[in-house]
Amino acid sequence: MKLEPDIENRRTFAIISHPDAGKTTVTERLLLFGGAINTAGTVKARKSQRHATSDWMEIEQQRGISVTSSVMQFNYGDRVINLLDTPGHEDFSEDTYRTLTAVDSALMVIDAAKGVEDRTIKLLEICRLRKTPVITLINKMDRYARESLELIDEIENVLNIECAPITWPLGSGQHFGGTYHLERERLIPFDREQSDDRAVRHDDGWARDDPRAAEHFGAQNLVTLEEEIELIEGAGNGFNIDAYLQGSQTPVFFGSALRSFGIRELLDFFVETAPAPQSRATDQGEVDPHSGHFSGFVFKIQANMDPQHRDRIAFLRICSGKFEQGMKLHHVRTGRDAVVANALTFMARGRDHTADAWAGDIIGIHNHGTIQIGDTFTVGKSMSFHGVPSFAPELFRRVRSTDPLRGKALLKGLTELGEEGAAQVFRLTNKNELVIGAIGVLQFDVVSWRLKHEYNVDCVFEAAPYHTARWVACADQKMLNKFRNQLADNIAMDGGNFIAYMAPTMVNLQLTEERWPDVEFYKTRELSANNALAKAV
Ligand code: G4P
């Protein structure tokens, strides 16, 4: 198969981190190095501008968190890099998980003073599940930091991933002198006076025996470095590209995003080493990005900034081929073809771009609720991509409108918000009851706020007696019907019309699973047209 250079050049990734570890700052530095922005502060400013144009995101503003994700594209050398922003707050983990299905690799940012934190653990679990290659940056070395060896140990033990340091720090905090590049065998001095938005190139650095090194780093630090290098090399964790690409080893960098230190080395390594767009699994087998035909899947839906026009943008990751404006795409779930003439392409640089996009890129398609998360679009072929998950919620609330006459609007709003992935909606079949399921409690606030402002529905939430939900399937249709009839009080339809069992307690779930050995219970649901789960007819 002929390799298309425009696809081989693409690098699509996301940054994962615990809030406050420095994701925004790193993003900003990367965009600076890529020439996509000119001054530091732009990303943060853009964040606040977004608040200004979008009413419903007042919630974000009030809580100081980022609820939505977007795409930033920039060039570096001959690479085209797509950086997918992941929401920063724990409550929106489901959205983040889905964003991670659309990338080929990830950058994990860890705060050097705090080490591995909760959210990092959860996010890395997802990367491990999908064997996503991860590069690690241990950030904020200009401030107090824990012992480097201890941090490496913690990453290896808590996250269960082998570490291969590429750079190694000399001192930290007040005494941070810079890093040693283990591959290039060069010392890179840190300049404390360096202004924080200057992109400094440390091309050459110094050899370990360079006289400038002793002066800058101090003789003792160089001795400690020798000892630590011996320890690292003795541990045998040299960088192994295959182990990295399989997700079992992570190359590690040390730096200070705020001071633009260590980011250049990281970016140089990233563009050389991180994978280009990869093949992806569908119900018809793997699809190679170079296969020529356009294909892609929707991993996220975002309400338009303007609530007056309830159109939405579906974020589609292109998995193979090339997209051109005006192309006729086949929407596999609905079986319809549609000409896409006004797709958004995410080019952070300039406006004089052609609107073509290639495998690895993300395009935004306007729609009025016709597109759902997990949908596949193709040219020519009919197939569905696997792997955009919906997770069994852990929190449930009954929802009703305070005005009985707004019941219909409530249902419409919930259906649309459910399709967008803002929360999951379950209709209890026996009780005429609507229940919202969420992973994080903040999702309820978002739903309530949006119902009020976009659908003019005041709603109240009440406690719902469910502990968890499981999607069910059974090869024997009669058995499934029996299951549904006997347990009717706990059977619900989700937004995609799939059957779910609403368990009041974990013990009840266990007993039910034991009593119905032929019925399969699923904790996650694949958001794609063809899956094995039972769909209500
Ligand atoms: P996040 O997106 O992961 O939540 O983190 P963000 O980049 O917003 O960084 C969180 C805080 O940590 C910010 O400070 C930021 O300036 C600081 N920070 C990030 N990288 C470094 C670093 O390398 N060294 C040091 N010393 N600080 C760093 P803040 O005071 O909360 O925000 P701001 O007032 O600076 O915007």
PDB file of all heavy atoms in Angstrom, residues 17-25 44 139-140 142-143 256-258, ligand 1:
ATOM      1  N   SER A  17      -3.681  14.540  32.606  1.00  0.00           N
ATOM      2  CA  SER A  17      -3.049  14.938  33.864  1.00  0.00           C
ATOM      3  C   SER A  17      -4.107  15.163  34.919  1.00  0.00           C
ATOM      4  O   SER A  17      -5.290  15.294  34.615  1.00  0.00           O
ATOM      5  CB  SER A  17      -2.258  16.234  33.679  1.00  0.00           C
ATOM      6  OG  SER A  17      -3.142  17.297  33.418  1.00  0.00           O
ATOM      7  N   HIS A  18      -3.671  15.223  36.138  1.00  0.00           N
ATOM      8  CA  HIS A  18      -4.537  15.628  37.239  1.00  0.00           C
ATOM      9  C   HIS A  18      -4.675  17.152  37.125  1.00  0.00           C
ATOM     10  O   HIS A  18      -3.728  17.821  36.720  1.00  0.00           O
ATOM     11  CB  HIS A  18      -3.862  15.232  38.552  1.00  0.00           C
ATOM     12  CG  HIS A  18      -4.776  15.312  39.725  1.00  0.00           C
ATOM     13  ND1 HIS A  18      -5.613  14.283  40.071  1.00  0.00           N
ATOM     14  CD2 HIS A  18      -4.990  16.303  40.617  1.00  0.00           C
ATOM     15  CE1 HIS A  18      -6.302  14.641  41.131  1.00  0.00           C
ATOM     16  NE2 HIS A  18      -5.944  15.858  41.484  1.00  0.00           N
ATOM     17  N   PRO A  19      -5.853  17.730  37.482  1.00  0.00           N
ATOM     18  CA  PRO A  19      -5.979  19.178  37.409  1.00  0.00           C
ATOM     19  C   PRO A  19      -4.830  19.857  38.152  1.00  0.00           C
ATOM     20  O   PRO A  19      -4.422  19.375  39.211  1.00  0.00           O
ATOM     21  CB  PRO A  19      -7.320  19.454  38.105  1.00  0.00           C
ATOM     22  CG  PRO A  19      -8.088  18.192  37.945  1.00  0.00           C
ATOM     23  CD  PRO A  19      -7.086  17.072  37.918  1.00  0.00           C
ATOM     24  N   ASP A  20      -4.310  20.941  37.538  1.00  0.00           N
ATOM     25  CA  ASP A  20      -3.274  21.771  38.155  1.00  0.00           C
ATOM     26  C   ASP A  20      -1.845  21.282  37.925  1.00  0.00           C
ATOM     27  O   ASP A  20      -0.906  21.935  38.352  1.00  0.00           O
ATOM     28  CB  ASP A  20      -3.490  21.882  39.681  1.00  0.00           C
ATOM     29  CG  ASP A  20      -3.819  23.306  40.031  1.00  0.00           C
ATOM     30  OD1 ASP A  20      -4.271  24.022  39.120  1.00  0.00           O
ATOM     31  OD2 ASP A  20      -3.607  23.705  41.186  1.00  0.00           O
ATOM     32  N   ALA A  21      -1.690  20.138  37.269  1.00  0.00           N
ATOM     33  CA  ALA A  21      -0.330  19.637  37.052  1.00  0.00           C
ATOM     34  C   ALA A  21       0.388  20.463  35.980  1.00  0.00           C
ATOM     35  O   ALA A  21       1.618  20.427  35.894  1.00  0.00           O
ATOM     36  CB  ALA A  21      -0.358  18.169  36.649  1.00  0.00           C
ATOM     37  N   GLY A  22      -0.404  21.191  35.168  1.00  0.00           N
ATOM     38  CA  GLY A  22       0.226  22.067  34.176  1.00  0.00           C
ATOM     39  C   GLY A  22      -0.182  21.787  32.737  1.00  0.00           C
ATOM     40  O   GLY A  22       0.483  22.230  31.803  1.00  0.00           O
ATOM     41  N   LYS A  23      -1.322  21.146  32.538  1.00  0.00           N
ATOM     42  CA  LYS A  23      -1.759  20.802  31.181  1.00  0.00           C
ATOM     43  C   LYS A  23      -1.913  22.058  30.306  1.00  0.00           C
ATOM     44  O   LYS A  23      -1.423  22.093  29.172  1.00  0.00           O
ATOM     45  CB  LYS A  23      -3.091  20.040  31.251  1.00  0.00           C
ATOM     46  CG  LYS A  23      -3.561  19.515  29.910  1.00  0.00           C
ATOM     47  CD  LYS A  23      -4.693  18.523  30.089  1.00  0.00           C
ATOM     48  CE  LYS A  23      -5.909  19.158  30.731  1.00  0.00           C
ATOM     49  NZ  LYS A  23      -6.946  19.527  29.792  1.00  0.00           N
ATOM     50  N   THR A  24      -2.580  23.078  30.848  1.00  0.00           N
ATOM     51  CA  THR A  24      -2.809  24.286  30.061  1.00  0.00           C
ATOM     52  C   THR A  24      -1.483  24.955  29.716  1.00  0.00           C
ATOM     53  O   THR A  24      -1.271  25.408  28.587  1.00  0.00           O
ATOM     54  CB  THR A  24      -3.696  25.281  30.846  1.00  0.00           C
ATOM     55  OG1 THR A  24      -4.825  24.564  31.317  1.00  0.00           O
ATOM     56  CG2 THR A  24      -4.146  26.428  29.982  1.00  0.00           C
ATOM     57  N   THR A  25      -0.593  25.004  30.680  1.00  0.00           N
ATOM     58  CA  THR A  25       0.701  25.646  30.459  1.00  0.00           C
ATOM     59  C   THR A  25       1.493  24.874  29.406  1.00  0.00           C
ATOM     60  O   THR A  25       2.098  25.472  28.507  1.00  0.00           O
ATOM     61  CB  THR A  25       1.495  25.740  31.782  1.00  0.00           C
ATOM     62  OG1 THR A  25       0.615  26.228  32.794  1.00  0.00           O
ATOM     63  CG2 THR A  25       2.681  26.674  31.661  1.00  0.00           C
ATOM     64  N   LYS A  44      -5.149  30.479  27.879  1.00  0.00           N
ATOM     65  CA  LYS A  44      -5.991  30.826  29.027  1.00  0.00           C
ATOM     66  C   LYS A  44      -7.008  31.885  28.621  1.00  0.00           C
ATOM     67  O   LYS A  44      -8.165  31.816  28.992  1.00  0.00           O
ATOM     68  CB  LYS A  44      -5.136  31.306  30.182  1.00  0.00           C
ATOM     69  CG  LYS A  44      -4.430  30.146  30.839  1.00  0.00           C
ATOM     70  CD  LYS A  44      -4.048  30.410  32.267  1.00  0.00           C
ATOM     71  CE  LYS A  44      -3.685  29.069  32.886  1.00  0.00           C
ATOM     72  NZ  LYS A  44      -2.993  29.146  34.122  1.00  0.00           N
ATOM     73  N   ASN A 139       6.719  17.751  35.551  1.00  0.00           N
ATOM     74  CA  ASN A 139       6.688  19.211  35.393  1.00  0.00           C
ATOM     75  C   ASN A 139       6.951  19.934  36.712  1.00  0.00           C
ATOM     76  O   ASN A 139       6.913  19.331  37.776  1.00  0.00           O
ATOM     77  CB  ASN A 139       5.302  19.579  34.836  1.00  0.00           C
ATOM     78  CG  ASN A 139       5.201  21.032  34.437  1.00  0.00           C
ATOM     79  OD1 ASN A 139       6.183  21.629  33.992  1.00  0.00           O
ATOM     80  ND2 ASN A 139       4.016  21.615  34.584  1.00  0.00           N
ATOM     81  N   LYS A 140       7.195  21.207  36.609  1.00  0.00           N
ATOM     82  CA  LYS A 140       7.402  22.122  37.745  1.00  0.00           C
ATOM     83  C   LYS A 140       8.701  21.832  38.487  1.00  0.00           C
ATOM     84  O   LYS A 140       8.754  21.923  39.724  1.00  0.00           O
ATOM     85  CB  LYS A 140       6.214  22.058  38.731  1.00  0.00           C
ATOM     86  CG  LYS A 140       4.852  22.327  38.086  1.00  0.00           C
ATOM     87  CD  LYS A 140       3.796  22.621  39.128  1.00  0.00           C
ATOM     88  CE  LYS A 140       2.433  22.736  38.502  1.00  0.00           C
ATOM     89  NZ  LYS A 140       1.368  23.041  39.420  1.00  0.00           N
ATOM     90  N   ASP A 142      11.182  23.627  38.540  1.00  0.00           N
ATOM     91  CA  ASP A 142      11.728  24.879  39.070  1.00  0.00           C
ATOM     92  C   ASP A 142      11.245  25.137  40.489  1.00  0.00           C
ATOM     93  O   ASP A 142      11.689  26.079  41.144  1.00  0.00           O
ATOM     94  CB  ASP A 142      11.312  26.051  38.166  1.00  0.00           C
ATOM     95  CG  ASP A 142       9.801  26.171  38.074  1.00  0.00           C
ATOM     96  OD1 ASP A 142       9.156  25.166  37.697  1.00  0.00           O
ATOM     97  OD2 ASP A 142       9.269  27.246  38.398  1.00  0.00           O
ATOM     98  N   ARG A 143      10.281  24.306  40.942  1.00  0.00           N
ATOM     99  CA  ARG A 143       9.787  24.465  42.318  1.00  0.00           C
ATOM    100  C   ARG A 143      10.215  23.254  43.129  1.00  0.00           C
ATOM    101  O   ARG A 143      10.770  22.305  42.587  1.00  0.00           O
ATOM    102  CB  ARG A 143       8.252  24.497  42.285  1.00  0.00           C
ATOM    103  CG  ARG A 143       7.688  25.776  41.814  1.00  0.00           C
ATOM    104  CD  ARG A 143       6.441  26.133  42.569  1.00  0.00           C
ATOM    105  NE  ARG A 143       5.445  25.073  42.535  1.00  0.00           N
ATOM    106  CZ  ARG A 143       4.176  25.283  42.220  1.00  0.00           C
ATOM    107  NH1 ARG A 143       3.784  26.477  41.873  1.00  0.00           N
ATOM    108  NH2 ARG A 143       3.306  24.297  42.256  1.00  0.00           N
ATOM    109  N   SER A 256      10.126  22.315  33.124  1.00  0.00           N
ATOM    110  CA  SER A 256       9.297  23.344  33.736  1.00  0.00           C
ATOM    111  C   SER A 256       8.541  24.032  32.612  1.00  0.00           C
ATOM    112  O   SER A 256       9.117  24.813  31.851  1.00  0.00           O
ATOM    113  CB  SER A 256      10.175  24.360  34.474  1.00  0.00           C
ATOM    114  OG  SER A 256       9.437  25.538  34.698  1.00  0.00           O
ATOM    115  N   ALA A 257       7.272  23.706  32.497  1.00  0.00           N
ATOM    116  CA  ALA A 257       6.483  24.276  31.395  1.00  0.00           C
ATOM    117  C   ALA A 257       6.418  25.788  31.542  1.00  0.00           C
ATOM    118  O   ALA A 257       6.552  26.528  30.568  1.00  0.00           O
ATOM    119  CB  ALA A 257       5.087  23.676  31.396  1.00  0.00           C
ATOM    120  N   LEU A 258       6.258  26.229  32.788  1.00  0.00           N
ATOM    121  CA  LEU A 258       6.129  27.670  33.016  1.00  0.00           C
ATOM    122  C   LEU A 258       7.357  28.417  32.507  1.00  0.00           C
ATOM    123  O   LEU A 258       7.264  29.526  32.004  1.00  0.00           O
ATOM    124  CB  LEU A 258       5.935  27.930  34.520  1.00  0.00           C
ATOM    125  CG  LEU A 258       5.549  29.344  34.890  1.00  0.00           C
ATOM    126  CD1 LEU A 258       4.198  29.704  34.333  1.00  0.00           C
ATOM    127  CD2 LEU A 258       5.557  29.513  36.409  1.00  0.00           C
TER     128      LEU A 258
HETATM  129  P1  G4P B   1      -3.912  22.475  34.458  1.00  0.00           P
HETATM  130  O1  G4P B   1      -4.267  22.957  33.096  1.00  0.00           O
HETATM  131  O2  G4P B   1      -3.282  21.123  34.469  1.00  0.00           O
HETATM  132  O3  G4P B   1      -4.996  22.595  35.474  1.00  0.00           O
HETATM  133  O4  G4P B   1      -2.729  23.388  35.023  1.00  0.00           O
HETATM  134  P2  G4P B   1      -2.218  24.841  34.587  1.00  0.00           P
HETATM  135  O5  G4P B   1      -1.405  24.758  33.369  1.00  0.00           O
HETATM  136  O6  G4P B   1      -3.352  25.801  34.615  1.00  0.00           O
HETATM  137  O7  G4P B   1      -1.219  25.099  35.777  1.00  0.00           O
HETATM  138  C1  G4P B   1      -1.641  25.124  37.136  1.00  0.00           C
HETATM  139  C2  G4P B   1      -0.770  26.094  37.913  1.00  0.00           C
HETATM  140  O8  G4P B   1       0.571  25.600  37.909  1.00  0.00           O
HETATM  141  C3  G4P B   1      -0.708  27.466  37.299  1.00  0.00           C
HETATM  142  O9  G4P B   1      -0.543  28.388  38.342  1.00  0.00           O
HETATM  143  C4  G4P B   1       0.563  27.432  36.481  1.00  0.00           C
HETATM  144  O10 G4P B   1       1.112  28.693  36.260  1.00  0.00           O
HETATM  145  C5  G4P B   1       1.438  26.576  37.364  1.00  0.00           C
HETATM  146  N1  G4P B   1       2.491  25.894  36.612  1.00  0.00           N
HETATM  147  C6  G4P B   1       2.380  25.154  35.477  1.00  0.00           C
HETATM  148  N2  G4P B   1       3.581  24.696  35.095  1.00  0.00           N
HETATM  149  C7  G4P B   1       4.479  25.141  36.000  1.00  0.00           C
HETATM  150  C8  G4P B   1       5.890  25.005  36.136  1.00  0.00           C
HETATM  151  O11 G4P B   1       6.577  24.377  35.337  1.00  0.00           O
HETATM  152  N3  G4P B   1       6.464  25.624  37.210  1.00  0.00           N
HETATM  153  C9  G4P B   1       5.735  26.320  38.112  1.00  0.00           C
HETATM  154  N4  G4P B   1       6.387  26.879  39.125  1.00  0.00           N
HETATM  155  N5  G4P B   1       4.413  26.483  38.012  1.00  0.00           N
HETATM  156  C10 G4P B   1       3.790  25.897  36.961  1.00  0.00           C
HETATM  157  P3  G4P B   1      -1.727  29.241  38.917  1.00  0.00           P
HETATM  158  O12 G4P B   1      -1.139  30.189  39.877  1.00  0.00           O
HETATM  159  O13 G4P B   1      -2.803  28.334  39.400  1.00  0.00           O
HETATM  160  O14 G4P B   1      -2.341  29.910  37.662  1.00  0.00           O
HETATM  161  P4  G4P B   1      -1.856  31.243  36.958  1.00  0.00           P
HETATM  162  O15 G4P B   1      -2.267  32.313  37.868  1.00  0.00           O
HETATM  163  O16 G4P B   1      -0.372  31.106  36.776  1.00  0.00           O
HETATM  164  O17 G4P B   1      -2.592  31.217  35.674  1.00  0.00           O
END
